[in-house]
Amino acid sequence: MQFFSGSTSTESSLLPAAPPGTGAGGPGNNAHMLYIFNRAGVCLLYREWNRPLRTLDPQQDHKLMFGLLFSLRSFTAKIDPTTAEKGNLGVPLLPGQGCSFYSFKTNTYQLNFMETPSGIKLILITHSRTGDQREALKYIYNLYVEYVVKNPLYVPGTPIQYVHSAFLNYYSVLKRVLLLIVSDN
Amino acid sequence: MAAIYSLFIINKSGGLIYYKDYGSAGRMDTNDSLRLASLWHSMHAISQQLSPTTGCNGIDLLRADTFDLHCFQSLTGTKFFVICEPSAPYMELLLKVIYELYTDYVLKNPFYEMEMPIRCELFDLNLSQVVQKDRVALLAR
């Protein structure tokens, strides 16, 4: 079963085609931050574009974000009104087990979340009124797979470093694509 | 037919003071509902810390695969949240109406102690009328 049905294949081109609907909008000012965590809670990537307020130092911030997601997933799995058989709160959930949330909104920001079957969690924090970002997150995940996972010099489970020249490609692609995607909404 | 699956009311310290289920599959016992309410209270607070800009008031809407959760926090810190179907309309209006019922039938009740579980018959009665599907549709006017 294909997990990401309908996503564009990226074998041949260096720059994958952006999802349909993204225009050449102005400078994207909708995305605030991006986090990528792996299954163990290690923050593989943290990028910020617009963050006027920082309440905690980066380590604490990453831990808080991961903890929030962990608790929110337990919460949604338990409070789900459509399934009768639910586990207990506090039991760690496997990726894909139980109902998971994909977005929450506050008055100042919107947090979009995606968890892959391998436990990679992608979090994109955008402006409060952007639309559904699930396609954008799938697209970012595909970039991660193409340029990070398939890179033989990358050690899985470590933060994505700006060391190898291949990663230069990844960053520039990621930045350009994000600007395109989020400025469209 | 109710327009929502369930309603929770949390006091300002995070304790559950009212829980009513209108049709979720599977029973939730009291302990679980208490734990979920406290969990929500904490996550609402943590989400304010993670905001990239100032002035965040916590989570208003949580969207999951099979349900949506709408939350309303009054100025006094009391939180009202409903579990409903994905993209159910008029939920914010419904929350405001529920808040109004709370102020009328609970807070103005002289026998009600603040922050304690709600045991007011008139509140239950009016609430069950307001969450009927056809009544919720009328809120748009």
Side-chain angles (χ1 to χ4, degrees), chain A residues 39-56:
Chain A
R39 204 169 172 155
V42 175
C43 185
L44 302 176
L45 182 74
Y46 169 68
R47 275 290 164 272
E48 64 178 53
W49 295 279
N50 179 19
R51 191 174 189 179
L53 174 71
R54 257 171 230 89
T55 48
L56 302 162

Side-chain angles (χ1 to χ4, degrees), chain A residues 35 46 51 56-65, chain B residues 50:
Chain A
Y35 296 76
Y46 169 68
R51 191 174 189 179
L56 302 162
D57 66 313
Q59 294 307 316
Q60 300 294 332
D61 189 59
H62 298 331
K63 281 190 206 152
L64 194 64
M65 178 58 81
Chain B
L50 289 167

Side-chain angles (χ1 to χ4, degrees), chain A residues 12 34 103 120 131 168-169 177:
Chain A
S12 47
L34 172 73
S103 160
I120 302 293
L168 195 72
N169 200 13
V177 156

